[in-house]
Amino acid sequence: MSATGHPFRQFIVKVHGRCNLACTYCYLYEGPDSTWRTRPATAPPAVLDRTADRIAEHARTHGLTTVSLVLHGGEPLLAGVGTLAGFTEAVRLRVPADCTVRATVQTNATLLTQDRVSVLAGHGIQIGVSLDGGRARHNARRVDHAGRPSWPAAVRGVRLVADRFPESYAGLLTVVDPMLDPVETYDSLLELGPPAIDLLLPHGNWSAPPPHKSGSRYGDWLCAVFDRWWSAGRRETRVRLFEECLALLLGLPAATESLGLAPFDALVVETDGSIEQVDSLKSAYEGAARTGLDVFRHAFDEALRHPGVAARQAGAAALADECRSCPLLSVCGGGHYAHRYRAGHGFRNPSVYCADLERFIRHAAGRLAADAVPAVASGEGGTP
């Protein structure tokens, strides 16, 4: 750890600031923060060049041996695969020789073609896909700007990667919708052959609650999927939220934005070169992610001193009193930072998903304990 905080290890670079879809629930383009409107649609070459320098500088300063480069948007493929490949190679060439750059593009898959995927694969760029499920009806709200469904193009893109470029397939990212059947949704995602699935709770907070929020409805949904995943008898896919929860329950380190007390280590570079905190904060209020810094005038170490970043790296000290006294503290970690916001009270509150997280964590702990007892007695063991 440096004098200014834990170094950043994940660099989310907005190579394109617009999207070819107009998903009706998008917190980024339909939410309270409209700063995207004043920024260039595409990151200019000068911004990408300077960002590559800053990543290399940060890696060198902190002796990092691995960094994660996330090519993001909007829809990053709108910038062109040549831009994505060229920027990735620039970062790899400039970081120290002993530093590995793990690059991923996060896409809605509608623009994926054989030629484009070939370029990405050839430059060692993994492909992560955002979907709401593995059926057309799951993705009914994911439409283009003319209101047309995105599913036909999206599923073609996913299957292209899964079938022909499995080594480049990073997995699927899905936002939990408690109105969909949990097991059917999970099984439909499995049909797309993902090596990993990220299940994310929708961004909401105490002042702008998530949709359909009542009791522990989201927690119940996660428990149902967990049981399906846990009882499969083999690891059909990684579900990061589940694996990280189990690791934390066992006292092992786990790095996740949604659980645990590990210092957060990601930052965003916008298309104009602004250095920001992660996009999820934009679901709280206008300018919530802003730092006032940019890649042309500031090193990333200066972002480590920003109060918002410092709070996310302070562990339990930054949490509400209720969280610090909770027996689930080391696993829950207060939940996702953006989900703690309440207008007039900031982020020092329990998560709006507090009941859901408690429901899920206690359920996972119960399954882990129940299966551990006979396993220990028989000398066997193992989790998916």
Side-chain angles (χ1 to χ4, degrees):
M1 176 176 172
S2 73
T4 53
H6 295 262
F8 297 112
R9 289 182 169 84
Q10 182 179 172
F11 302 94
I12 303 165
V13 181
K14 298 291 193 71
V15 291
H16 204 284
R18 304 293 187 270
C19 190
N20 61 324
L21 299 186
C23 303
T24 59
Y25 56 88
C26 182
Y27 74 90
L28 186 59
Y29 298 110
E30 303 294 334
D33 191 294
S34 61
T35 52
W36 62 272
R37 296 180 182 276
T38 61
R39 293 186 166 124
T42 304
V47 167
L48 297 180
D49 184 68
R50 193 62 175 140
T51 299
D53 284 341
R54 290 300 189 191
I55 294 172
E57 175 186 56
H58 199 71
R60 191 176 306 109
T61 298
H62 297 278
L64 303 181
T65 57
T66 304
V67 298
S68 173
L69 177 64
V70 183
L71 306 168
H72 218 280
E75 171 47 55
L77 290 177
L78 289 172
V81 290
T83 295
L84 305 184
F87 173 60
T88 300
E89 290 307 312
V91 175
R92 286 181 172 142
L93 286 171
R94 297 180 199 185
V95 298
D98 62 347
C99 181
T100 299
V101 177
R102 295 175 178 165
T104 304
V105 59
Q106 190 65 35
T107 175
N108 59 40
T110 60
L111 301 178
L112 291 173
T113 64
Q114 175 84 24
D115 289 345
R116 289 168 181 162
V117 177
S118 293
V119 172
L120 296 171
H123 288 270
I125 299 172
Q126 295 281 292
I127 300 169
V129 176
S130 300
L131 291 174
D132 291 343
R135 301 277 187 274
R137 61 185 178 82
H138 298 156
N139 294 275
R141 295 178 296 171
R142 296 179 69 83
V143 296
D144 67 14
H145 291 273
R148 295 169 299 199
S150 67
W151 175 249
V155 73
R156 281 196 300 271
V158 176
R159 293 200 180 281
L160 169 66
V161 178
D163 296 343
R164 303 186 192 178
F165 300 87
E167 71 286 350
S168 298
Y169 194 5
L172 300 175
L173 182 153
T174 297
V175 176
V176 172
D177 183 348
M179 304 305 289
L180 297 178
D181 180 270
V183 173
E184 192 266 346
T185 301
Y186 174 74
D187 285 341
S188 74
L189 293 170
L190 280 184
E191 292 172 9
L192 299 174
I197 296 175
D198 278 324
L199 295 174
L200 304 182
L201 294 170
H203 292 314
N205 54 66
W206 293 105
S207 296
H212 314 298
K213 181 76 178 79
S214 65
S216 60
R217 176 177 286 181
Y218 286 89
D220 294 342
W221 196 98
L222 290 174
C223 289
V225 178
F226 181 88
D227 285 344
R228 163 67 181 82
W229 173 79
W230 180 264
S231 302
R234 60 186 179 87
R235 180 191 266 181
E236 295 171 305
T237 187
R238 294 185 58 204
V239 180
R240 290 192 177 97
L241 179 67
F242 298 167
E243 293 188 354
E244 288 161 352
C245 179
L246 293 172
L248 290 164
L249 285 167
L250 292 169
L252 301 172
T256 172
E257 193 174 4
S258 301
L259 295 175
L261 291 168
F264 192 58
D265 62 359
L267 61 67
V268 174
V269 177
E270 289 283 353
T271 58
D272 62 355
S274 296
I275 299 169
E276 294 206 338
Q277 300 179 75
V278 290
D279 279 351
S280 55
L281 293 180
K282 296 178 181 180
S283 65
Y285 59 88
E286 174 90 14
R290 187 179 294 128
T291 67
L293 309 174
D294 66 74
V295 294
F296 296 103
R297 298 177 297 159
H298 307 97
F300 290 149
D301 268 18
E302 295 187 54
L304 291 173
R305 293 190 284 269
H306 186 275
V309 174
R312 301 193 72 179
Q313 295 198 345
L319 299 180
D321 292 342
E322 304 98 300
C323 294
R324 292 201 301 273
S325 61
C326 178
L328 300 181
L329 171 64
S330 62
V331 180
C332 173
H336 196 296
Y337 190 77
H339 302 164
R340 305 174 200 167
Y341 178 74
R342 187 191 295 270
H345 298 272
F347 294 90
R348 202 179 182 96
N349 308 287
S351 169
V352 72
Y353 290 107
C354 181
D356 301 279
L357 293 171
E358 180 176 3
R359 168 85 171 93
F360 165 62
I361 293 168
R362 290 191 182 281
H363 181 79
R367 292 300 307 265
L368 181 62
D371 283 15
V373 172
V376 170
S378 66
E380 300 176 354
T383 59

